[in-house]
Every structure is written in structure tokens, then in C-alpha cells.
Amino acid sequence: MTNRQTHPPPIRRRRPRPSNLAVGVTGGLALALAGTLAAAALSNEEAAARMARNQALVAALELTDLCLFTEARYTRHLTQADLHTPFQDAPFSLDHFPSGSVVPPPPGITRHAPMD
Amino acid sequence: MPPWIERQRHLMDYTLAAMARRWGRNLGLVAVYTLLVFVLASVMMFTDAIQREAGQLLEQAPEVVVQRMVAGRHDLISADYMDAIAAIRGARQVRGRLWGYHFDPVTAANYTFMVPAANAPPAGRVHIGAGLARARGAAVGDVLSFRGHDGALFSFDIEGLLRAESEIITADAILLSEEDFRAFFGIRPGLFTDISLQVRNPREVTKVAEKIVERFPDTRPILRSEMQRTYASLFDWRQGLVLTVFAGALLAFAILAWDKAAGLSAEERREIGILKAVGWETTDIIAMKTWEGALVSLTAFLLGVLLAYGHVFGTSAVMFEPVLKGWATLYPRFVLTPHVDLFQLAVLAFLTVVPYTAATVVPNWKTAVTDPDAVMR
Amino acid sequence: MIELRNVSKVFNEGRHNEFTAIRDVSLRLADREVTVFTGPSGSGKTTLLTLVGCLARPTVGRIRLHDRDISGLPERFLTQVRRHSFGFVFQQFNLISGLSAVDNVMLPAYPTGRPRSGLMARALELLELMALAERADAPVEWLSGGEKQRVAIARALINDPPVLIADEPTANLDTAMSRDFLAILERLVEQGKTVLMTSHDPLVYEAAMVNTVVSLRDGRVETVP
């Protein structure tokens, strides 16, 4: 055996325990998510007030649709599109991609309800 | 600390030290995985939030809208229909609506012209949506000019702007008086775009609608419940784009899982043999690998969901804007009310954390049950 | 006291490549002594070590550790017996590369759930005994052959087993390092450890500290002095 051990062992740099690090990170993320979800679940007065004002506007203007896709009449007023617009051929219709691919044909146009 | 907890923490220490050897690869894995969860969770949260928003807003929509169809097209409806519909028992507040589209060559955008039921602006004046004002760079006091149906130039003074917070419903709106509307589009008095009505007893809505069709076979009543259903299935899983995103993501995930499950390298097998030889049980090795899979997938899941939340509710889903915009030049700016469906979140967690962990553990299982003397042979 | 009674080990039993590594071996191995198994390669000495060390179970025969029959135990219990009774130093050292020396030393103790602080202190103490205190945080692939073996010895001792098992311990060492190894063994025997080794290195089986040499050939014991 060598006699190197007569030297005092160097002071070891204390590294954090890996599992502490991992539990800290995942635990921290989990807490952050829980906090976010809790904050979202609590009633948001500002959002509620905004919704109430917008609902009043819907009632006053007798609106039937959201203003999401303004490129064509059958996408601007999805619910008002007549039964013969090309848009309703299929949800994949490429002439209206991508708007056409995120909205289904209006209910009543297909034989069964669109959500079954 | 009880020994069983300390034991699990030792196993975690080991698997983390082992993963740290290829930290670049593992970090990349977490990053890709996080991106996957981020995209899926973003779609999920955005869909859920916009469906809720639409559902709540349309609670105030007209109970029934009656359109007249001519040769398969939505056509103007005569005021005569209104009187007859008003005579149907249960129908009330029967009103002719005036609205239509106009393409503005200046911005290459479509606007929606509307005559409000009450408080319409006086002739020559308009109220405009905030999105439209942004597109035209217009403000209160400015003049907007459009060419009417006969080519004549119409100029409107902007009297007011609709609140910016209502862009999700009014971004492209121009509210104007009935006489301006008729003059602009050339619609004779006594004709309307369609007819809206309320029904006294909500349970009789279908009955009233049936009576209307019976009385006027050329009409199509659209019920509020149908409007709400249209938006409830917006971004539904069946829709092409969402399906495409999901399919792509699932495929990527399957490749990832396949790569992991396809087998262990000789080096990994040897390490498991060593661990068994120095006194680890099969269950220790499986527990250790479970920690590896669970830590990677859980971190990616939590990170991805948090980022998605920030994306959808913080930046109003800025990455989905190109999709929603489509070919439109006018796009609303809106803030969604934060809401997360816990059940959907649980499903997402189950679909991401469990398969990955399983893909990590299963190939090790077979190796872990080999005889511990293998390393001596 | 370890006792083997009519022990045989057959690999791939019932298949065309069936192979009998150990045939009807009976032995008594005393505590606190150094026993060396010697013989040509293929003589079954390593297989015998795996049987004694509970890494494998005999096909026929009984093995008793003190007064306990360990030949019929299910794997779970066999692992526990192995963990507490035997420390292994493998021919190829079998360290996990990429991990530091101290992490490697602690490995066998992980399933016991010993608190990390005490475990770490004990691992460093063992590395210091092996004159490796400065190398504790170095990844094992940076170490020389002799250093690797000393890490492997420290790892074998972490659970403080009464028996140390070494398979061809000097096969990958030069003469000076082999002598260092024997010096370490001598100290461990003084501390009361039982040592079982395989070797065909005269430096080992002719060393003064060796109490018994068991010679094997074709799976049978040739000479038991």
C-alpha cells in the first residue's frame, strides 16, 4: 500500500444531493402549476365584468357569431352560413384551410349531431 | 427518514447521476418532450377557453334567427314574414335584422355592416370596431369612405369606437343607421337580411321553429342552441388541424417511445448486471428506472403545461394566430379568461407520463431478471 | 463457516449445449481464512465462487452459510444474504463508468436505505483506507487499473460483509500493484474478514497469507490439502 494517505484528505466540495435537486425542481414546478390553476379557478372579477359587458353587447347588437375568421361570409358568420356553401363540404376542404379545418359543419347539416 | 424513503432517494440519486453522464442528450429529450406537451396543452387550453368564451357570449344571442332561402342561397326576407311570424303563439320581439359584408380594397379586408336594434348612430355617422380602426388607422372624428352598390362614394364620420375588449365579437363591425345601410347596399324598404325573435317559453323554441318552417317552407330557422353547438365543437378533436397536430405529436412520441423500447445497449445491459451482482434486487432496478422515466416525463409535463398556460392566457395563443387568421387581413385581438379543465389535464398527464415511463421501464425489465452471475461469465 | 455438499452446476440444462461446470464438489471453507481456488481456465473455479457468493444457485447439492441452507432460497432472499454476507471484487472491476469513485463505492448500500450522510462518510473513509481520498470525486474511467481495483475493494466493503470474494484479482495488475493488493487483503484478514479468491497467479496462491489452496480441474476438486 502506498503512503500517500499521510496527507490530510482535501476538503471535498459539497455537491447538492441529486435527488434533492430533482425533487426541488419537480416540486417547484408542481407548486407553480397548482398555484396557477388555483388562481385560474378563483373568480376573476375583472374577467367576469368584461364578460358581462360583452354579453350586453351581444344582446344589444343581436350577434350570432364570434369574429374569428373574417375572410369569407361563411367563416365570419359560421352559424348563419347557408346549406350550400362550399365550406360545408368537409372539414378538410383545402380551399378554406386553415379556418375550415378548425370548424365543423353546422349542426343539423349532418344527419347525426356533430359531437357524437 | 424511514429506510424505504431513503432507499427510493438513493435510487433517484443513482438514476440522476447516470443521466447526468449524458446530460446533453437527456436535456434535449426533456426539451423535445416539453415542446410536445406544450403544443398539446396549448391546443387543449385554447380550445377549452374559446369554447367557454363563445358559450357564455352566445347565451345572449337571439333565440331564433330566420333566414329565407332562394335557390339554395340566403336571400333577403320580406317584412310580410315578420308579421306572420309575430302571429305565431310564443314568438315575441320579432325584428328584421340588417347586416351584410363589404370588401374594403384599402385594407383588403371584409367588414361587417350592421344596423343596431336600438341606439343606432344618426345618418352619416358610424361606430366602428377596434380591429377595423386599427386596420384603417382610423380614430374618432375621422372620415371613412366606401363605394356603395351603385359605385357612389359614401363618407361616414366616425362617431365612436366599440370597446377594444369586445374585439372577439366586433373587430370588423361598422354600426350605421338603417337609411345609410339601405342606401349603401341598395336594399329596398320592407326587406331585411333576416329575422330575429325570442320565444316566451324556452321549451317551445323547437315548436315555434317548426311552425315557422310549416308556414314558410322557404325559410330556415337557426336556433341559439345550434349556434352554441357550432362553437362548442370549434377545435373539436375531429377537426382537421387539431387532428393533424395530435397525429404528428403522437407519431413523434411513438418514435421516441419505440426508440427507447427497442432495447438496451450492451453498456446498459452490463450496468444492470453489475447492479444485480453488487446486491440490487430486480425490484430495485425497476424502481430506479421508473424514477428515471417519471422524473423526465413529469418535469416535461409540468413545464409544458405551465408554458402552455402562459402562451394561451398570457400571450393570447400568439402561436395559433396564423391558423386563426387564415387568409383574413383583419384579426381580432382578445384576451381569454383563464380556465383549465382539470379532467383534460389529467388525461394529458396520463397520456404523456405513463407511456413514457412504461417505455423506459419495460426494456429494463427483461434485463433485470437475468441471473446476477452474468457479469462473472 | 461455509459448507458445500455434493454441489453440481449445469448450464443450459436439457439443451444441446448443456454444460456441467461443477461436478459433485464437497468443501468446507473456514472463517477468517484466505482460500484460493486455482486451476486452468474452464476448470469451474469462477462458477464455484458464484455459487458460494449466492450469485447463482447450484443445480444439485446444498450450500450452508453458518447454519443456514442458502441453496434453496428464492432470489429475493438470496440477494439479501449476498448483500450482507459477501463483498465482490470482479476481474474486470465492473465499476459503473461515468460515475465518481465515491458514487461507485456507495452502490451496494443503496437498496439498504442507509442514510446518505453516514453512507457518504463511510465511503470516503474506505477510499481513504485505499489511499484514494483525493480521487473520490473523479469519474472512475480516469483511474488507473490499480486505483480501479481499490475502488472495487472499497465498494465490496461498504456493507461491511464478513466474506470478501475476488475473481482473478491480479489478472489485470502488474507485479507491484499485485503486491499492493495482497497487502490490503492481509490487513482485511487481520480485521477478521474471510477471503475467497480464484487465481492462477503464483504470486497469489503461493503468498504466505494464503491458508488453503483448492485445485480444480474439469469441475472437480483435485486436491484439498
Side-chain angles (χ1 to χ4, degrees), chain A residues 10-90:
Chain A
I11 295 160
R12 299 186 67 241
R13 200 160 33 86
R14 275 257 160 214
R15 275 179 303 172
R17 185 173 182 179
S19 59
N20 282 346
L21 218 62
V23 169
V25 168
T26 35
L29 285 174
L31 274 181
L33 183 61
T36 309
L37 295 184
L42 289 178
S43 63
N44 183 339
E45 276 180 34
E46 198 192 313
R50 188 181 65 223
M51 174 55 72
R53 287 194 296 271
N54 280 348
Q55 279 179 330
L57 201 58
V58 170
L61 298 179
E62 295 183 302
L63 300 179
T64 54
D65 285 85
L66 300 192
C67 175
L68 284 175
F69 319 104
T70 59
E71 71 252 50
R73 65 173 195 279
Y74 35 78
T75 56
R76 170 62 181 90
H77 287 92
L78 289 168
T79 65
Q80 307 297 303
D82 62 59
L83 302 175
H84 304 277
T85 46
F87 167 68
Q88 292 156 358
D89 287 349

Side-chain angles (χ1 to χ4, degrees), chain A residues 17-20 22-23 25-26 29-30 32-33 36-37 40 44 47 50-51 53-73 76-84 91-92 95-99 101-104 106-108 113-116, chain B residues 6 9-10 13 16 53-54 56-62 65 67 69 72 74 95 97 99 101 110 112 114 116 163 165-166 168-170 172 196 220 222 226-227 229-231 233-235 238-241 299 302-303 305-306 309 323-324 326-328 330 332 335 337-338 340 345:
Chain A
R17 185 173 182 179
S19 59
N20 282 346
V23 169
V25 168
T26 35
L29 285 174
L33 183 61
T36 309
L37 295 184
N44 183 339
R50 188 181 65 223
M51 174 55 72
R53 287 194 296 271
N54 280 348
Q55 279 179 330
L57 201 58
V58 170
L61 298 179
E62 295 183 302
L63 300 179
T64 54
D65 285 85
L66 300 192
C67 175
L68 284 175
F69 319 104
T70 59
E71 71 252 50
R73 65 173 195 279
R76 170 62 181 90
H77 287 92
L78 289 168
T79 65
Q80 307 297 303
D82 62 59
L83 302 175
H84 304 277
F92 274 110
D95 43 345
H96 308 295
F97 186 86
S99 312
S101 61
V102 296
V103 278
M115 278 178 297
D116 61 10
Chain B
E6 191 65 27
R9 295 195 54 196
H10 282 317
D13 285 337
L16 287 165
E53 194 89 7
Q56 280 179 290
L57 285 170
L58 294 180
E59 280 171 15
Q60 301 300 319
V65 170
Q67 287 179 346
M69 309 296 293
H74 176 189
R95 205 184 76 80
R97 298 201 306 163
W99 59 275
Y101 306 106
N110 291 318
T112 303
M114 270 187 270
R163 279 190 306 271
E165 65 180 16
S166 70
I168 194 166
I169 40 179
T170 62
D172 66 343
S196 70
R220 180 168 82 107
I222 301 160
E226 288 175 333
M227 301 174 200
R229 254 159 58 198
T230 298
Y231 284 91
S233 47
L234 188 70
F235 299 100
R238 286 216 300 202
Q239 269 58 76
L241 195 82
T299 306
L302 293 170
L303 208 57
V305 170
L306 275 170
Y309 188 92
V323 174
L324 289 172
W327 303 112
L330 198 68
V335 181
T337 309
V340 179
L345 205 62

Side-chain angles (χ1 to χ4, degrees), chain C residues 161-221:
Chain C
V163 184
L164 192 71
I165 291 181
D167 184 27
E168 296 286 356
T170 59
N172 294 310
L173 303 180
D174 63 21
T175 309
M177 289 198 290
S178 298
R179 287 190 202 286
D180 280 350
F181 170 74
L182 291 173
I184 293 170
L185 275 198
E186 201 159 356
R187 251 195 1 205
L188 293 174
V189 175
E190 276 165 24
Q191 286 166 14
K193 303 280 185 205
T194 306
V195 176
L196 308 175
M197 286 187 279
T198 63
S199 185
H200 48 245
D201 181 358
L203 199 69
V204 173
Y205 61 76
E206 287 171 6
M209 56 178 289
V210 174
N211 303 92
T212 316
V213 175
V214 178
S215 178
L216 288 141
R217 182 173 285 276
D218 300 327
R220 292 180 202 279
V221 176

Side-chain angles (χ1 to χ4, degrees), chain B residues 113-322:
Chain B
F113 282 53
M114 270 187 270
V115 178
N119 304 321
R125 288 162 190 264
V126 289
H127 291 188
I128 62 172
L132 195 158
R134 189 170 59 242
R136 283 288 292 236
V140 175
D142 289 353
V143 175
L144 280 180
S145 298
F146 304 110
R147 287 205 178 274
H149 72 105
D150 51 1
L153 201 65
F154 284 74
S155 293
F156 301 106
D157 291 330
I158 301 174
E159 191 185 64
L161 293 183
L162 295 166
R163 279 190 306 271
E165 65 180 16
S166 70
E167 274 197 47
I168 194 166
I169 40 179
T170 62
D172 66 343
I174 293 189
L175 306 185
L176 70 176
S177 68
E178 180 171 346
E179 57 180 297
D180 280 347
F181 187 91
R182 290 188 187 281
F184 187 76
F185 288 110
I187 295 175
R188 285 185 287 110
L191 289 178
F192 294 93
T193 309
D194 52 28
I195 293 169
S196 70
L197 60 128
Q198 305 289 334
V199 176
R200 199 163 284 126
N201 182 352
R203 278 177 299 184
E204 287 178 1
V205 173
T206 326
K207 195 146 212 153
V208 170
E210 278 168 9
K211 279 183 188 164
I212 293 171
V213 182
E214 214 171 285
R215 174 75 182 75
F216 300 111
D218 63 341
T219 60
R220 180 168 82 107
I222 301 160
L223 309 185
R224 183 201 283 156
S225 58
E226 288 175 333
M227 301 174 200
Q228 285 180 310
R229 254 159 58 198
T230 298
Y231 284 91
S233 47
L234 188 70
F235 299 100
D236 195 357
W237 65 269
R238 286 216 300 202
Q239 269 58 76
L241 195 82
V242 182
L243 202 63
T244 311
V245 169
F246 262 98
L250 286 177
L251 197 67
F253 193 81
I255 291 168
L256 198 77
W258 172 261
D259 182 48
K260 278 201 92 68
L264 304 181
S265 66
E267 179 68 16
E268 286 169 308
R269 269 176 227 280
R270 191 179 149 261
E271 282 176 13
I272 288 172
I274 293 172
L275 293 175
K276 287 212 77 171
V278 300
W280 286 39
E281 287 168 32
T282 306
T283 50
D284 293 324
I285 286 161
I286 290 166
M288 181 270 284
K289 281 291 169 185
T290 308
W291 279 119
E292 180 188 323
L295 283 174
V296 165
S297 53
L298 200 62
T299 306
F301 171 76
L302 293 170
L303 208 57
V305 170
L306 275 170
L307 288 174
Y309 188 92
H311 169 232
V312 172
F313 300 115
T315 73
S316 294
V318 67
M319 287 171 67
F320 293 158
E321 225 179 83

